[in-house]
Amino acid sequence: MADSDFPDDLKAAQTRLHQATAEHAALVRTLPWSVEPHDGWPGTEHPHTGEISGGRDPSPGWSDEQKAVVAQLRQECLALSAAVTTHPYWQTLSGEDVYKARMRLKALTRPESVPAVDVVTAA
């Protein structure tokens, strides 16, 4: 089956799902660690080295605007996921062919370059 066999609306929904998921991930990486304001907590001092590990700095929480944007992106991702998985196209396939086609669709619509995630910053 050629990649062009996927309906245009299915490809568009899957493409937007990739984009919305990436936008959501990028946004939440920039936000404070706690949704609500939090005082944080002190770390624990190692008894031999004196090094302090763990703990969190205070968090100002998210603004109402930030909460709204995150909620909107989450809702969009959920709606797109439902649109992709319940698309009538999948009923034209059966068994293992559904899985194979789903993986092909994801690969076909995935952005060419995915930005590297700084694991230290993201954590």
Side-chain angles (χ1 to χ4, degrees):
M1 178 184 314
D3 292 335
S4 61
D5 289 345
F6 293 113
D8 289 339
D9 62 331
L10 179 57
K11 288 189 290 189
Q14 181 63 60
T15 299
R16 180 62 193 138
L17 178 56
H18 284 306
Q19 293 167 345
T21 302
E23 289 170 17
H24 177 265
L27 174 61
V28 296
R29 280 193 301 268
T30 67
L31 298 176
W33 63 268
S34 178
V35 176
E36 300 300 327
H38 195 285
D39 292 336
W41 58 90
T44 305
E45 183 177 344
H46 189 278
H48 302 293
T49 65
E51 180 180 349
I52 297 182
S53 61
R56 284 278 191 171
D57 291 331
S59 171
W62 296 1
S63 69
D64 289 340
E65 181 182 348
Q66 290 168 327
K67 290 176 188 177
V69 172
V70 168
Q72 177 187 4
L73 282 170
R74 283 181 180 159
Q75 186 59 41
E76 183 179 10
C77 288
L78 286 172
L80 287 164
S81 294
V84 169
T85 58
T86 62
H87 194 281
Y89 172 77
W90 303 119
Q91 294 177 5
T92 66
L93 305 171
S94 64
E96 194 175 302
D97 292 339
V98 176
Y99 169 78
K100 289 178 180 179
R102 181 77 180 104
M103 294 302 105
R104 262 194 342 275
L105 175 65
K106 283 182 169 184
L108 174 70
T109 57
R110 189 170 289 122
E112 291 294 322
S113 65
V114 176
V117 174
D118 181 354
V119 177
V120 175
T121 303

